[in-house]
Amino acid sequence: MRYEFRRIGDGRQAVLRETKRAVTPFGGLVVLLELMRRHQLVEKVRELLPFRYASNRAIAPEHTLLAFWLGVAVGARRFAHLQMLRCDEALRSLCGVRALPSDDTVRNFFARFGPAQIEHFFAALWRWHFAQLPARACVLDLDSTLFQRYGTQEGAERGFNRVRRSGRSHHPLLVFVSEPALVLHGWLRAGAAGGGAVEFLTEALSRLPATWSVKGMRADAGFFDQRLLELLEARHLPYVIVAKRQGHLQEQVRRITAWTPVNPATAVAEFVTQLGAWSRARRFIVVRIRLPDPKERRLLEVPGYEYRIMVTNRQESPEWLWRHYDQRAAIEPRISELKSELGADGFCLQKFYPTEAAFRSVLFVFNLLGWVQSLNPAVGPQRRPATVRSTLWTCGAIAGRSGHKMVLYLSQSWGGLSARMPLLQRILSPPTPTSPK
């Protein structure tokens, strides 16, 4: 079969033909697959999965999950998008599996997960994953987000929703470790759910290896809760958490007379007070920011200023604490990446727990991308998944054979093997022992 046409640029004739050779646009995935092979990830998944298939003809469940991870890594944002890998014979040969699953096979895989299976599998997988990484002292950032839902899926309820009033949603909780950002834990919650931060953080801390240490935690006003503060203090964890608007705190701010200027637009102060339901007094930091527009909405009705109040058990200066908390802003783009570039909100099933299993699997892909980037610290700041996809995974390649060996020819136009060889060499080299500091 052939088709003749003229090129749009110069009008010269060209011909379209078919080829039976196996071609893939994702030859760069060899880096991710080699990282998985080096650390025996597929074997670990096989060991941890709480179920097996009885049929000998079924695609192994660990290969189904591998295909899902690869699909998310190359841009799938819905289950239907996974079909693009099912047709990729070169990628199948590169993985060394009998077949890649259809989107229905992946849905059926996640449908086997209930609450017990999720806890059994993902808790152990996360502990194993963090044990493979160099130990370090990290800061935890606690946050939540919204997944918009347009059907009647389990847990899709009407709750707080800035985008769609009375719209249904899921309301996940997330906790990240500091840069390079990794997801330590995630919960998928019903849209109207609130609270649960104490139980969530307790689970998250149990996933950290003993060689890791926590040097601080940051959270917004959604986590301003006496029980959470008591948990952090009992574990001797330093924290900075934004305080909710309360009349007693606003009155304390009005009484402040000694402000320390940080710059022409910002000043800081502090006070110690005990709220009515609290068991003890705590330190509060206040940041006063001059607004360019005095009509802009603000915490206190003082013309021209916005006030931010944070509670802390740290001893550093108010200026240092303000700058320390502002570094938490780096987490918002990471949540955006999870939703817009990895489809964390797109893999939704009718049942709640299968949806949570897919959600946590996407979180693991995010960590895999961070793991790959950490192998090359010279690249600089952590790059977005779409950037990794276009610069590393995307590489035209042709599958062939040399004797009994499968050969994948990477196109030099996309950097080829030479652009990926440094990462492959780092993957194969033994890890350098590091001490958490």
Side-chain angles (χ1 to χ4, degrees), residues 36-343:
M36 294 178 179
R37 186 201 64 80
R38 171 71 171 80
H39 292 273
Q40 299 182 324
L41 175 57
V42 174
E43 290 79 3
K44 192 65 181 178
V45 169
R46 183 186 302 118
E47 173 191 330
L48 296 177
L49 276 173
F51 53 82
R52 301 295 300 171
Y53 296 155
S55 173
N56 293 329
R57 301 185 61 184
I59 297 175
E62 62 270 18
H63 294 163
T64 300
L65 184 56
L66 170 64
F68 178 79
W69 285 340
L70 295 179
V72 173
V74 299
R77 299 195 68 251
R78 298 288 189 276
F79 285 108
H81 298 171
L82 299 173
Q83 285 291 106
M84 64 179 173
L85 297 188
R86 184 171 171 80
C87 305
D88 197 328
E89 184 63 22
L91 182 60
R92 184 201 64 77
S93 298
L94 180 61
C95 294
V97 297
R98 181 174 55 84
L100 292 173
S102 67
D103 54 333
D104 284 336
T105 302
V106 178
R107 289 189 186 95
N108 292 335
F109 167 81
F110 286 120
R112 289 174 172 263
F113 280 88
Q117 290 80 11
I118 287 175
E119 180 59 26
H120 171 88
F121 176 67
F122 287 102
L125 181 64
W126 246 260
R127 293 190 188 99
W128 173 88
H129 170 53
F130 273 82
Q132 308 304 306
L133 303 174
R136 69 175 191 254
C138 61
V139 176
L140 303 184
D141 288 297
L142 196 58
D143 211 337
S144 62
T145 187
L146 282 180
F147 290 170
Q148 304 293 340
R149 301 302 188 207
Y150 299 90
T152 57
Q153 300 90 348
E154 282 186 359
E157 299 174 354
R158 294 182 175 89
F160 174 76
N161 195 326
R162 291 178 178 175
V163 179
R164 296 165 55 232
R165 287 191 176 183
S166 301
R168 297 179 182 274
S169 65
H170 284 131
H171 190 192
L173 282 178
L174 293 162
V175 59
F176 294 81
V177 300
S178 53
E179 295 290 332
L182 298 171
V183 179
L184 178 58
H185 193 24
W187 269 4
L188 186 70
R189 300 186 301 173
V198 172
E199 296 76 12
F200 175 69
L201 186 60
T202 301
E203 281 190 12
L205 293 172
S206 71
R207 282 151 173 73
L208 273 180
T211 53
W212 287 58
S213 61
V214 178
K215 61 181 181 180
M217 199 209 77
R218 300 175 293 215
D220 61 21
F223 302 94
F224 182 63
D225 176 60
Q226 158 82 350
R227 292 179 61 234
L228 181 61
L229 300 182
E230 289 178 342
L231 170 67
L232 295 169
E233 290 161 357
R235 290 175 175 257
H236 306 288
L237 297 179
Y239 62 80
V240 181
I241 299 176
V242 174
K244 290 182 179 178
R245 302 182 182 188
Q246 295 187 4
H248 177 70
L249 293 180
Q250 295 187 39
E251 182 60 32
Q252 291 290 328
V253 173
R254 291 190 181 96
R255 295 175 181 176
I256 296 176
T257 57
W259 293 94
T260 302
V262 176
N263 55 51
T266 309
V268 294
E270 63 179 296
F271 61 87
V272 176
T273 191
Q274 179 175 348
L275 298 184
W278 285 12
S279 59
R280 56 184 292 271
R282 291 182 172 91
R283 182 188 183 200
F284 289 83
I285 305 301
V286 185
V287 181
R288 186 183 69 180
I289 302 173
R290 183 182 294 276
L291 297 174
D293 180 7
K295 295 182 180 179
E296 188 172 337
R297 184 181 178 184
R298 49 198 177 273
L299 175 62
L300 299 176
E301 294 302 323
V302 178
Y305 291 105
E306 175 189 0
Y307 291 83
R308 299 175 186 172
I309 309 175
M310 294 170 279
V311 63
T312 183
N313 62 346
R314 305 188 69 120
Q315 302 303 315
E316 291 85 355
S317 68
E319 179 182 352
W320 186 94
L321 292 169
W322 167 54
R323 298 188 186 281
H324 169 69
Y325 182 83
D326 267 10
Q327 294 174 10
R328 182 180 175 274
I331 295 304
E332 294 300 328
R334 303 303 174 205
I335 295 177
S336 173
E337 292 165 14
L338 279 168
K339 295 197 289 186
S340 65
E341 298 180 16
L342 294 179

